[in-house]
Amino acid sequence: GTGSNILSALQDLFWLSKSKVEKQLQIISVLQWVLTFLIMGIACTLILMYILCTDCWAIAVLYLAWLVFDWNTPKKGGRRSQWVRNWAIWRYFRDYFPIRLVKTHNLLTTRNYIFGYHPHGIMGLGAFCNFSTEATGVSQKFPGIRPYLATLAGNFRMPILRDYLMSGGICPVNRDSIDYILSKNGSGNAIIIVVGGAAESLNCTPGKNSVTLRNRKGFVKLALRHGADLVPVYSFGENEVYKQVIFEEGSWGRWVQKKFQKHIGFAPCIFHGRGLFSSNSWGLLPYSKPITTVVGEPITIPKIDNPSQKEVDFYHSIYVDSLIKLFDKYKSKFGLPETEVLEVN
């Protein structure tokens, strides 16, 4: 009767309210990461400088002393925290899009690996969620494998930001760091390198599946030097979450971007997503489009201390073919037409 109808209406209202709360928590979780990516390093540096000029200067001095003492830790595998990697906020982050991790083959804990992650997108959101948190269950899907997401070394010169990144298992994408992890950290390590880097981010746009890989061979040489197996990884949907102004080659905009990339290590992009309060407005929040990261079959790599260019080229060609096959095999399962072709630049 009437009582049942009222009870049903109240239940509907309760679940609607719960749904809204969860959506807001998802937005907050993504917003904090976007702000971390864009401004946390600069903001923490400025705050530290300000504290030095206040009565609390001793706190800043103690942290700076710790920074000097701890300076080389990022190059030696960092300081990951399973507690941070398992924060509930990362599950809300995952569900905002949502983000999924797909395993296609087992990985041996007696081997080390270099994952080539494609494409970069604007912020590499799939790479972060899948490999720097436990939100998608990477440790359960690949038991005994320790993932290290490699990013710009300059991030580890920023106070506080460096510690935040290391807690997620993120390391500098430089030779010292990678050599240490692959040679002095035992086996079962997987370094995730976003191969296309800043150059690839300049061309990412919704509806486009292209990777900057043709002349990117340094990661193959590293794999050969350490005998680390190569694993192609493709994230379907990574390019869909932001819209970007693409400057043509030869334009002043592309010239500025390339100068930044050459001298600073990153390329400034003019991009936008949705607004904080409405999906119909512009803002810094990514669009809630699904991202599905597929980890392909490992390519067995021999250990060669000084690989020749011919050897590097040979294994690089195998890697490119494996990535294209991975893309072709799964593209229709994740919303792309069979006619879609992966563009390799």
Side-chain angles (χ1 to χ4, degrees):
T2 304
S4 297
N5 291 335
I6 293 174
L7 181 61
S8 177
L10 288 174
Q11 287 176 336
D12 290 342
L13 182 62
F14 171 77
W15 286 113
L16 179 62
S17 175
K18 182 179 178 181
S19 174
K20 285 184 176 181
V21 169
E22 287 187 347
K23 187 61 180 178
Q24 293 306 313
L25 289 173
Q26 291 170 11
I27 289 173
I28 291 169
S29 68
V30 175
L31 179 62
Q32 69 84 24
W33 173 247
V34 170
L35 294 178
T36 295
F37 183 90
L38 295 175
I39 66 171
M40 183 177 179
I42 295 173
C44 288
T45 301
L46 293 175
I47 291 170
L48 193 67
M49 293 172 62
Y50 171 76
I51 293 174
L52 279 171
C53 301
T54 69
D55 293 339
C56 298
W57 60 268
I59 296 174
V61 169
L62 285 173
Y63 180 79
L64 288 172
W66 161 252
L67 194 63
V68 172
F69 174 78
D70 195 54
W71 191 253
N72 289 323
T73 298
K75 299 178 183 178
K76 296 180 179 180
R79 187 171 48 248
R80 75 174 56 216
S81 166
Q82 287 303 117
W83 176 64
V84 173
R85 287 176 61 89
N86 282 285
W87 277 353
I89 195 172
W90 305 131
R91 295 192 290 275
Y92 289 112
F93 183 100
R94 171 199 65 198
D95 293 340
Y96 173 85
F97 296 93
I99 295 174
R100 290 177 54 208
L101 179 65
V102 176
K103 169 187 174 180
T104 63
H105 291 78
N106 292 325
L107 299 181
L108 300 175
T109 58
T110 55
R111 301 285 293 174
N112 283 324
Y113 300 91
I114 293 180
F115 287 18
Y117 184 92
H118 314 268
H120 184 286
I122 295 292
M123 296 185 186
L125 295 166
F128 169 76
C129 184
N130 285 308
F131 302 113
S132 294
T133 81
E134 294 296 331
T136 57
V138 63
S139 293
Q140 286 72 45
K141 288 184 169 74
F142 300 103
I145 301 298
R146 292 180 298 276
Y148 293 87
L149 177 60
T151 188
L152 290 175
N155 289 325
F156 296 89
R157 302 186 187 104
M158 302 284 190
I160 309 301
L161 175 64
R162 66 189 293 277
D163 302 288
Y164 191 35
L165 295 179
M166 282 194 292
S167 68
I170 301 178
C171 68
V173 61
N174 58 31
R175 181 170 172 175
D176 289 344
S177 177
I178 294 172
D179 282 347
Y180 183 92
I181 293 170
L182 295 180
S183 63
K184 298 179 181 179
N185 202 42
S187 60
N189 302 291
I191 298 178
I192 298 88
I193 299 177
V194 186
V195 178
E200 190 172 85
S201 69
L202 298 179
N203 295 313
C204 69
T205 187
K208 186 174 183 179
N209 288 283
S210 67
V211 295
T212 301
L213 178 59
R214 193 69 66 188
N215 297 313
R216 298 292 176 105
K217 301 179 180 180
F219 72 107
V220 178
K221 190 172 184 178
L222 280 169
L224 286 165
R225 289 181 62 245
H226 293 284
D229 293 348
L230 289 171
V231 182
V233 179
Y234 197 85
S235 258
F236 295 90
E238 185 73 64
N239 284 346
E240 307 299 316
V241 296
Y242 279 111
K243 295 179 181 179
Q244 179 183 190
V245 176
I246 304 293
F247 293 101
E248 298 295 330
E249 290 291 341
S251 66
W252 67 269
R254 183 53 64 99
W255 179 85
V256 170
Q257 289 175 324
K258 287 188 172 181
K259 285 295 181 182
F260 265 83
Q261 179 188 338
K262 180 180 179 180
H263 297 293
I264 301 179
F266 74 93
C269 303
I270 299 178
F271 66 92
H272 74 84
R274 54 156 289 182
L276 182 59
F277 301 106
S278 171
S279 59
N280 296 321
S281 60
W282 287 16
L284 290 176
L285 278 176
Y287 294 105
S288 53
K289 304 286 187 178
I291 298 174
T292 305
T293 302
V294 184
V295 180
E297 182 178 4
I299 303 165
T300 302
I301 301 294
K303 189 177 187 303
I304 304 173
D305 291 334
N306 293 296
S308 65
Q309 190 59 50
K310 185 177 180 180
E311 290 167 326
V312 172
D313 291 343
F314 174 73
Y315 285 101
H316 180 267
S317 66
I318 293 176
Y319 178 86
V320 173
D321 290 343
S322 296
L323 178 65
I324 293 172
K325 289 177 182 176
L326 180 71
F327 178 84
D328 288 339
K329 182 177 180 179
Y330 288 93
K331 61 186 178 184
S332 61
K333 294 182 181 180
F334 303 118
L336 297 178
E338 282 290 347
T339 55
E340 185 73 18
V341 176
L342 179 63
E343 180 183 331
V344 180
N345 299 313

